[in-house]
Amino acid sequence: MTETNLGQRVAVKLLVYGAGVTGSVFSARLYEAGHDVSLLARGERLAALRRYGVQLAEADSPVVRRVPVPVVEHPAGGYDLIAVLVRTHQVDAVLESLAGLDGDVLFLLNWAAGAQPLGAVIGPERVLLGFPTAAGTMDGDVVRHRATNFMTRLLPMPIGEPDGRGTPRLERIVRELRTAGINVKAEPRMDAWLTTHAAFEVPLGQAAHAAGGPVALADDPDAVRGMIRLMRQNLAALPTPPVPRGFVALRTLPEGLLVAMLRRFLRSPTAAHSGLDNASPAAVAELERMAEQLRAYARVR
């Protein structure tokens, strides 16, 4: 909802495109805050959502909460904002279905290819970039999301204009999401943020997959060292400093200290509920696509 100059409340129509972990949590929060939101899903996931709604559980809690978010199979148009929360390798298909629609499109996903290929299909003026900091795993049809704690509150969801400007629409979207209880901030260096994250995420995800999960990776110090070296190579290949600046630590801290810190993280509940143990073909394909984007980004920039 937004306010007019007369103080009246005006409905804003939103579509969340993608009903995985992040899309489900995102849409449920918007719905519970009173927003006119629909969740797009396909196949068995669509059928489950129509029958049960979005089912949420915090970490390993036995308590499952059902949120009756309206679901659709195809985008119908007339949206003020479309939030795309899909895997990297699924974006091309999403772009085709959105090309004929109106409305701003906020891409909340792993992405290291910049805004140009997105804008080339749907129009550059429609594109905003971001990353969903909520994480979790699918337990059948139940989304087990990471519990809110001190650390998650320190990590707001970044969104921004591709060119880094502060614009009225960006301010409006940040305000709308905050009314839904979503911890979000405007990020002026969103493209650099996404490439920095990919430089870290690809070695982490691939190493966890090769080891058989985050705990197994933590038990192999040599594999963790190899992962850190790949992260450093990726960061060194980027044309801009890491964003956020905290990632500079991956390039400056002693390797032994980083090994100890990352092994501790890999054994933590945060890692357990971050999807690092997901060895599905879709998760593997996403990491491969992100790796391709990083290599192309380093070549052209």
Side-chain angles (χ1 to χ4, degrees):
M1 312 288 284
T2 56
E3 293 187 7
T4 68
N5 292 333
L6 298 177
Q8 298 174 319
R9 304 296 284 180
V10 179
V12 175
K13 188 175 181 181
L14 304 109
L15 174 69
V16 176
Y17 198 124
V21 170
T22 53
S24 296
V25 173
F26 192 70
S27 64
R29 288 180 178 174
L30 290 168
Y31 177 83
E32 290 182 319
H35 289 276
D36 180 6
V37 58
S38 298
L39 177 60
L40 188 144
R42 303 273 167 77
E44 294 181 0
R45 181 66 177 149
L46 175 65
L49 288 166
R50 282 176 170 166
R51 184 173 181 181
Y52 303 112
V54 174
Q55 300 181 87
L56 302 174
E58 189 174 273
D60 295 320
S61 171
V63 178
V64 176
R65 186 163 55 89
R66 294 181 176 179
V67 183
V69 180
V71 291
V72 296
E73 188 172 5
H74 303 285
Y79 305 106
D80 299 291
L81 178 67
I82 301 169
V84 177
L85 297 100
V86 299
R87 293 191 180 275
T88 312
H89 63 288
Q90 298 170 331
V91 169
D92 290 344
V94 173
L95 291 172
E96 292 178 7
S97 67
L98 298 183
L101 302 180
D102 295 322
D104 296 323
V105 183
L106 172 59
F107 292 88
L108 292 168
L109 40 76
N110 284 309
W111 190 256
Q116 192 281 328
L118 306 173
V121 180
I122 66 170
E125 73 285 351
R126 299 178 62 195
V127 176
L128 296 107
L129 299 173
F131 184 83
T133 51
T137 56
M138 294 297 299
D139 181 6
D141 293 320
V142 176
V143 175
R144 295 199 169 274
H145 60 93
R146 190 164 58 194
T148 301
N149 54 36
F150 174 75
M151 288 303 298
T152 60
R153 285 190 288 270
L154 287 178
L155 298 172
M157 181 176 76
I159 66 172
E161 297 281 358
D163 60 7
R165 292 177 302 138
T167 62
R169 71 167 178 176
L170 179 60
E171 294 174 2
R172 182 180 68 252
I173 292 168
V174 168
R175 184 169 60 248
E176 299 292 349
L177 296 181
R178 285 177 176 170
T179 66
I182 296 172
N183 186 16
V184 60
K185 70 169 186 176
E187 171 55 63
R189 301 159 297 173
M190 199 63 237
D191 188 35
W193 196 106
L194 288 168
T195 52
T196 299
H197 180 267
F200 170 82
E201 176 66 20
V202 170
L204 175 63
Q206 291 182 334
H209 173 67
V215 174
L217 177 58
D219 291 337
D220 188 345
D222 289 337
V224 175
R225 271 190 286 272
M227 176 186 73
I228 290 169
R229 290 167 188 170
L230 286 174
M231 290 176 180
R232 286 177 161 172
Q233 290 175 19
N234 286 345
L235 290 171
L238 298 181
T240 58
V243 179
R245 288 186 58 82
F247 277 95
V248 172
L250 287 171
R251 300 176 62 178
T252 58
L253 289 179
E255 185 178 279
L257 178 58
L258 286 173
V259 168
M261 293 170 60
L262 285 171
R263 290 180 73 193
R264 182 175 181 180
F265 162 73
L266 289 164
R267 293 192 178 101
S268 70
T270 298
H273 294 286
S274 64
L276 281 174
D277 59 351
N278 185 351
S280 69
V284 173
E286 177 173 48
L287 289 169
E288 291 176 350
R289 182 67 180 274
M290 290 169 64
E292 292 173 3
Q293 291 181 340
L294 278 174
R295 289 191 292 269
Y297 191 98
R299 287 196 300 268
V300 302
R301 303 295 176 97

